[in-house]
Amino acid sequence: MQIYLDHGATTPTRPEVIDLVADVMRSHWGNPSSLHWWGERSTMVIERSRLQVASLINADSEGVIFTSGGTESDNMVMMGVARQYPTPQHMIISAVEHSAVRLPAKFLEDRGWDITYLEVDRQGLVNPRDLERLIRQNTVLVSIIMAQNEVGTIQPIEKLGQICRNANVLFHTDAVQAIGKIKIDVQSLPVDMLSISAHKFYGTQGIGALYLNPLTTQRKSLAPLTLGGSQERGYRSGTQAVAAIAGLGLAAELAEQELEAESSRLTKLRDRLYGLLADIPDLIPTGATGETRLPNHLSFYHKNMDGRNFVRAMNLAGIAISSGSACSSGAIEPSPILLKMGYSEFEAKNSIRLTLGKSNYEEDIEWTARVMHQILCP
Ligand SMILES: Cc1ncc(COP(=O)(O)O)c(C=O)c1O
């Protein structure tokens, strides 16, 4: 029996998307910038997808820019905003951002920008009052992850966005883990920019989007990183990946249709698994609980077991999960996210994550719990 519990890393492309991508590759291979029939047909595919992606977040389709995925969207925001200023200014990011935001921030910091890292509590939550206090005269961007990838914590994005709006500061959120799992409505959510990646919700890898609020566009808040053919309204030059974009659109449409039912199904499975694991001594849950946690997300550390060895043992038993620590130059690096949440180096080295998805059912949960008991309580 093989069980995939690493949907936070990537999801299997859904069969409907594979079929559509193959069809589009066969029959819509024209360059969308061309003026002839072939080009027009590709443009129609792209525009349909733009509507589908926009609908998933209740946006105007004008605001959707196709990119190669979450990393590019995050970089476009961090570097694109910075490039609008001739001299270094101030930005605020949370202490638990994905590296696609954290490393561009560090790059800017090394070049004289002032970066403030908004602290989080032990659940991984930022405090909106801290944000209010930290915004300065020269703050040009705030970027706070919507749902944290390692611990599943969902931030109070509405409050954070409102604070930025009141202070007239641009607000970006990386919604890569949240899309398709929690409802996102940019008409009521005060966000200026939002990052999306298709492979986290059953689209293909290497395609994603950046949502830009009309105000952001009007104010010319973002400089493009790629210059060339001026595709995607000049924000992202380069011939679009038509087939992958079509797949992203379909994945978005299906995610929207299934969101409510699938989220409540996954929440039940997640809570059932937490319940079945509760009697394992020394297995400690990390991150938030209930409403402020992603419906498909479980995370732990074990007081005695090396996290990476645990991931390997689970893999031998046919179950795919992931570890928060990384191997760098032969040494095991603790998860920087757990360290920022106040966990010790040992705990942060041994963190593990289980992320559920469409292919998981009750029997997978039961079996996973049995295997974890066998490994952790021999
Ligand atoms: C929160 C978050 N942001 C950004 C990314 C990067 O997305 P992509 O793999 O599409 O570049 C990931 C991927 O794991 C993520 O979890």
Side-chain angles (χ1 to χ4, degrees):
M1 188 166 185
Q2 282 210 311
I3 302 177
Y4 186 73
L5 297 179
D6 200 14
H7 293 83
T10 197
T11 56
T13 309
R14 39 193 316 164
E16 305 94 317
V17 168
I18 296 176
D19 289 348
L20 177 65
V21 168
D23 277 356
V24 170
M25 288 184 92
R26 262 191 292 270
S27 58
H28 291 71
W29 44 263
N31 187 325
S33 300
S34 300
L35 294 179
H36 47 61
W37 184 80
W38 282 271
E40 274 173 12
R41 277 162 51 82
S42 292
T43 297
M44 275 163 64
V45 168
I46 291 177
E47 294 317 312
R48 179 185 162 87
S49 171
R50 210 182 299 282
L51 287 167
Q52 289 164 312
V53 173
S55 173
L56 179 60
I57 55 172
N58 197 21
D60 192 288
S61 68
E62 277 254 299
V64 175
I65 304 296
F66 292 116
T67 67
S68 65
T71 302
E72 186 185 334
S73 297
D74 288 348
N75 272 262
M76 262 173 85
V77 172
M78 301 296 294
M79 310 305 278
V81 170
R83 280 176 66 171
Q84 292 295 57
Y85 294 88
T87 54
Q89 307 289 325
H90 176 233
M91 283 185 188
I92 301 173
I93 69 168
S94 86
V96 292
E97 291 305 306
H98 188 272
S99 49
V101 167
R102 198 171 68 237
L103 294 186
K106 174 80 176 59
F107 178 92
L108 293 172
E109 200 169 25
D110 292 345
R111 281 151 187 82
W113 278 71
D114 224 340
I115 309 287
T116 302
Y117 298 84
L118 200 57
E119 297 298 319
V120 294
D121 64 15
R122 208 169 157 83
Q123 298 204 321
L125 282 166
V126 301
N127 183 341
R129 266 175 304 187
D130 289 344
L131 176 62
E132 219 158 15
R133 211 167 31 79
L134 291 167
I135 289 178
R136 305 183 197 154
Q137 200 71 37
N138 69 338
T139 308
V140 296
L141 176 70
V142 172
S143 179
I144 312 278
I145 191 165
M146 186 174 283
Q148 215 291 322
N149 43 299
E150 283 183 40
V151 290
T153 305
I154 300 170
Q155 301 292 350
I157 293 299
E158 190 169 352
K159 280 192 187 143
L160 298 166
Q162 198 53 56
I163 290 168
C164 292
R165 199 148 278 182
N166 294 346
N168 207 17
V169 172
L170 278 177
F171 181 61
H172 165 248
T173 185
D174 173 341
V176 166
Q177 291 288 339
I179 284 271
K181 297 182 196 89
I182 58 176
K183 197 166 165 38
I184 299 173
D185 177 350
V186 296
Q187 300 301 327
S188 60
L189 215 51
V191 300
D192 297 304
M193 293 168 282
L194 181 146
S195 302
I196 298 172
S197 174
H199 73 101
K200 309 290 184 179
F201 58 99
Y202 310 97
T204 64
Q205 292 159 352
I207 192 72
L210 177 65
Y211 161 72
L212 296 179
N213 182 302
L215 266 182
T216 318
T217 326
Q218 260 171 37
R219 292 182 191 162
K220 303 199 180 340
S221 314
L222 201 66
L225 299 189
T226 49
L227 302 175
S230 293
Q231 288 89 345
E232 299 299 304
R233 292 164 57 215
Y235 283 106
R236 208 272 190 174
S237 282
T239 303
Q240 293 97 330
V242 183
I245 288 173
L248 163 60
L250 181 58
E253 183 178 329
L254 296 172
E256 186 180 356
Q257 282 167 16
E258 295 167 2
L259 191 129
E260 232 176 277
E262 187 61 0
S263 288
S264 84
R265 189 185 79 86
L266 291 177
T267 304
K268 282 190 199 118
L269 287 183
R270 179 198 70 189
D271 292 345
R272 170 99 181 113
L273 187 50
Y274 266 130
L276 290 171
L277 301 176
D279 64 345
I280 297 182
D282 299 334
L283 183 67
I284 315 295
T286 55
T289 51
E291 291 286 288
T292 48
R293 186 176 193 102
L294 280 177
N296 69 326
H297 199 293
L298 299 93
S299 59
F300 304 91
Y301 72 87
H302 192 270
K303 282 189 179 165
N304 309 309
M305 179 126 189
D306 178 277
R308 295 168 72 82
N309 286 342
F310 181 67
V311 172
R312 288 188 194 103
M314 291 288 278
N315 183 46
L316 286 176
I319 303 176
I321 66 167
S322 70
S323 146
S325 62
C327 189
S328 166
S329 324
I332 304 300
E333 299 291 335
S335 150
I337 304 301
L338 267 88
L339 289 179
K340 295 286 184 196
M341 289 165 63
Y343 289 88
S344 69
E345 195 157 312
F346 177 84
E347 291 162 348
K349 268 188 183 164
N350 292 332
S351 66
I352 55 162
R353 170 182 83 170
L354 287 70
T355 37
L356 315 179
K358 287 179 74 58
S359 64
N360 300 134
Y361 292 94
E362 183 79 26
E363 56 268 30
D364 302 329
I365 299 310
E366 309 274 339
W367 185 251
T368 299
R370 263 176 70 181
V371 171
M372 285 180 70
H373 275 89
Q374 275 167 12
I375 296 173
L376 296 172
C377 324

